[in-house]
């Protein structure tokens, strides 16, 4: 599992001063991107090859609220890897307590046709190593 730290800013909160639920998706996106860098993921390089990643489904559980100035730890784990699709488990912690959990199902597509396109071999091999952690 990879760790990603972030601080809650004013822009992340709603009128009640807690993190707006949709912002957890942005937090998860940032953590997944950093996690995949270890596998050789470079978004611009993939875009040049006309390959994009998409979220094809997700399950989200919000357990407790996070508030302004909280420091959050997001743990990311690759739990499934195919040639075209891959799934993550992500958990947000506040002071060692889980406050949000998600399963995010992703896939790789052609940016021109939006049809499934296999992961490049170097990236698939790099992601295999992350799967074993």
């Amino acid at each position: 599992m990879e760790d990603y730290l972030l601080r809650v800013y004013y822009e992340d909160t709603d009128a009640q001063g807690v993190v707006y639920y949709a912002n957890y998706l942005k937090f998860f996106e940032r953590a997944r991107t950093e996690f995949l860098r270890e596998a050789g993921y470079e978004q611009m390089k993939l875009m040049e090859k006309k390959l994009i990643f998409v979220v094809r489904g997700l399950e989200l559980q919000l357990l407790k609220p996070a508030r302004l100035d909280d420091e959050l730890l997001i743990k990311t784990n690759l739990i499934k890897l195919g040639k075209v699709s891959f799934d993550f488990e992500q958990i947000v912690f506040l002071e060692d307590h889980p406050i949000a959990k998600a399963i995010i199902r992703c896939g790789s597509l052609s940016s021109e046709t939006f049809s499934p396109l296999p992961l490049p071999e170097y990236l698939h091999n790099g992601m295999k190593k992350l799967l074993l952690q």
Side-chain angles (χ1 to χ4, degrees):
M1 259 194 185
E2 179 72 16
D3 294 351
Y4 179 77
L5 284 171
L6 70 87
R7 172 100 37 209
V8 174
Y9 294 108
Y10 183 77
E11 66 192 33
D12 301 320
T13 61
D14 61 17
Q16 289 78 38
V18 299
V19 172
Y20 183 63
Y21 76 95
N23 286 332
Y24 286 98
L25 300 178
K26 291 192 289 188
F27 299 164
F28 288 138
E29 177 77 22
R30 292 177 201 158
R32 279 194 316 281
T33 298
E34 294 306 317
F35 177 78
L36 286 173
R37 285 186 200 282
E38 286 189 37
Y41 173 75
E42 296 178 47
Q43 194 166 6
M44 294 301 292
K45 185 177 176 181
L46 291 178
M47 289 172 63
E48 289 170 5
K49 295 181 182 221
K50 308 293 188 214
L51 183 126
I52 57 173
F53 288 174
V54 296
V55 172
R56 57 186 177 81
L58 66 95
E59 299 169 28
L60 175 63
Q61 291 179 298
L62 300 172
L63 308 170
K64 294 200 181 257
R67 294 181 170 81
L68 181 64
D69 287 334
D70 282 347
E71 186 174 79
L72 305 178
L73 174 70
I74 302 174
K75 292 188 175 280
T76 301
N77 194 25
L78 183 64
I79 58 173
K80 183 180 172 191
L81 177 63
K83 295 285 185 191
V84 174
S85 63
F86 42 100
D87 299 349
F88 298 91
E89 175 188 57
Q90 294 186 273
I91 305 171
V92 179
F93 289 87
L94 176 62
E95 298 176 359
D96 297 325
H97 301 287
I99 64 167
K101 296 179 181 182
I103 300 293
I104 313 258
R105 290 179 286 284
C106 300
S108 60
L109 300 178
S110 162
S111 63
E112 295 176 327
T113 64
F114 295 105
S115 58
L117 191 62
L119 292 164
E121 186 175 347
Y122 79 90
L123 187 54
H124 190 265
N125 289 337
M127 289 172 75
K128 273 186 196 175
K129 293 175 186 172
L130 296 176
L131 186 65
L132 302 175
Q133 292 181 353

